[in-house]
Amino acid sequence: MSTVGAPRRDARTLRRWRQYLADERAEAAVYRDLASRRHGEEREILLALAEAEGRHAAHWEDLLGIDVGLPLRGDLRTRVLAFLARHFGSVFVLALVQRAEARSPYADDADATEAMAADERIHGEVVRGLATRGRARLSGTFRAAVFGANDGLVSNLSLVLGISAGGAGQRTVLLAGVAGLLAGALSMGAGEYVSVRSQRELLEASTPDPEADSAVGNLDVDANELALVYRARGMDAAQAEAHAAEVLGGLRPEPAADVEDEHEAVGTGLGAATSSFLFFASGAVIPVLPFLFGLAGGTALVVATVLVGLALLGTGAVVGLLSGGPPLRRAVRQLAIGCAAAAITYGLGTLFGTTTG
């Protein structure tokens, strides 16, 4: 496949084409690596995406002809994706690929075909769909992990800063930080367990009884009690009567209710509790580290604030990647919220220490 007309072939253009070729080959490899870790429909979709990237690579090979030269490496972004796909193959990679597809330069490049530009746009939506499946599978536990880590970071930093600003000594600050870590982690774990278990129990209570299907064959066709079931589930009277008639007449089997996706999205109570406890503790220990290593006073507070700031940037970036949003913006937002909470607590601690001194 080639574009209409004769595109110029200066050295700069050839370099751009060669880089496009390398990137397409690398992206095809990413999709094949991801497919090797999937089964069924997801595997087929990823292999189809790899085949499409292969067609794009063939376009640049045709344009280059004898000038194709030695194979180049894909850009850094694509090489990182390839590494992650080979070693992890998780929803994180799909989220990164989704953003990569959205940044395709083909729409503004006259040497790429309109079909190629359209392909890249659609590829982003295909990957978005695959990533959404992965997000649904981990959303319950991941939500608990992210909230736990951020709560630990912000709450314990605020606690340490507030007590220090009030004039407490190093030992008191350390004890308060450890107490805040344990109290918060236990509270978060217990709260997440109760929350997730309650949500799962509500879902289970809303799931149709599978034993009810056995009664369908013995229903009075004229009375058509089955229509009441469908009306209770949200159908209007006419739709319910028609659907019930089809089921009773054997024209359409009664589908079994499938709430697996809803349960997956919520997660398990024990998994959410454990994740919340561990991540809260991992976040809450960071503000305490300087005091554990013997630092005190302003030096300890500065070190604690810097460490927590870096951790908040990291968690914000991860949330941005998984949500398909800009990681930097999410990271900065997370940092700003955490620093604001800590600054307010420090100010209140200073005020309290002054008024009670």
Side-chain angles (χ1 to χ4, degrees):
M1 178 172 57
S2 61
T3 54
V4 178
R8 64 186 185 279
R9 304 180 64 85
D10 56 76
R12 183 176 179 181
T13 298
L14 292 176
R15 281 197 303 270
R16 188 177 78 253
W17 292 352
R18 290 190 187 112
Q19 190 60 58
Y20 284 159
L21 174 58
D23 291 344
E24 293 291 0
R25 288 172 173 171
E27 288 171 7
V30 169
Y31 286 127
R32 285 193 294 269
D33 286 334
L34 288 172
S36 69
R37 295 173 175 267
R38 297 294 195 278
H39 302 283
E41 186 180 30
E42 287 191 17
R43 176 183 173 86
E44 294 175 4
I45 292 172
L46 288 165
L47 289 175
L49 290 173
E51 183 180 349
E53 302 295 355
R55 291 195 302 270
H56 296 177
H59 169 83
W60 301 115
E61 289 176 351
D62 289 345
L63 281 183
L64 286 163
I66 61 174
D67 295 315
V68 67
L70 295 175
L72 298 179
R73 301 176 69 186
D75 61 19
L76 179 60
R77 168 183 55 81
T78 308
R79 295 203 302 274
V80 170
L81 287 176
F83 174 84
L84 294 173
R86 284 194 301 272
H87 293 86
F88 300 100
S90 68
V91 64
F92 291 93
V93 181
L94 287 171
L96 287 168
V97 173
Q98 176 186 327
R99 287 185 54 78
E101 292 287 5
R103 292 195 296 264
S104 172
Y106 290 168
D108 301 317
D109 196 311
D111 297 328
T113 67
E114 292 182 358
M116 290 167 63
D119 283 350
E120 295 296 323
R121 187 178 296 257
I122 294 302
H123 289 178
E125 293 306 308
V126 174
V127 175
R128 187 194 305 275
L130 294 176
T132 298
R133 295 185 183 187
R135 292 182 183 113
R137 285 192 287 266
L138 60 76
S139 62
T141 302
F142 175 74
R143 179 200 57 178
V146 170
F147 287 154
N150 277 282
D151 281 353
L153 288 164
V154 176
S155 65
N156 230 27
L157 177 64
S158 299
L159 177 64
V160 167
L161 290 179
I163 291 179
S164 296
Q170 178 186 0
R171 180 177 175 80
T172 302
V173 174
L174 179 58
L175 288 174
V178 172
L181 184 159
L182 293 174
L186 290 170
S187 175
M188 287 288 294
E192 278 296 330
Y193 180 83
V194 172
S195 172
V196 173
R197 281 300 306 166
S198 299
Q199 194 169 356
R200 289 180 68 87
E201 287 165 1
L202 286 172
L203 285 171
E204 289 166 1
S206 302
T207 303
D209 183 0
E211 297 297 325
D213 291 344
S214 62
V216 172
N218 298 321
L219 288 175
D220 185 336
V221 175
D222 294 327
N224 202 356
E225 298 286 342
L226 189 58
L228 297 179
V229 175
Y230 299 130
R231 290 175 69 180
R233 293 182 185 176
M235 292 186 183
D236 62 35
Q239 289 175 323
E241 292 286 348
H243 187 70
E246 290 179 346
V247 172
L248 292 172
L251 298 177
R252 178 184 300 177
E254 172 69 351
D258 183 9
V259 294
E260 182 179 354
D261 288 343
E262 287 89 341
H263 284 192
E264 285 181 344
V266 173
T268 65
L270 183 59
T274 302
S275 176
S276 183
F277 176 90
L278 293 176
F279 278 89
F280 184 97
S282 66
V285 76
I286 292 177
V288 182
L289 287 177
F291 298 93
L292 287 174
F293 284 98
L295 297 179
T299 302
L301 296 182
V302 170
V303 172
T305 302
V306 170
L307 291 176
V308 169
L310 293 174
L312 287 172
L313 288 172
T315 57
V318 169
V319 171
L321 288 175
L322 276 181
S323 65
L328 181 59
R329 187 180 304 169
R330 298 291 192 274
V332 172
R333 182 182 67 183
Q334 208 90 326
L335 176 64
I337 293 172
C339 288
I344 291 172
T345 309
Y346 183 82
L348 292 174
T350 302
L351 179 62
F352 182 80
T354 300
T355 57
T356 59

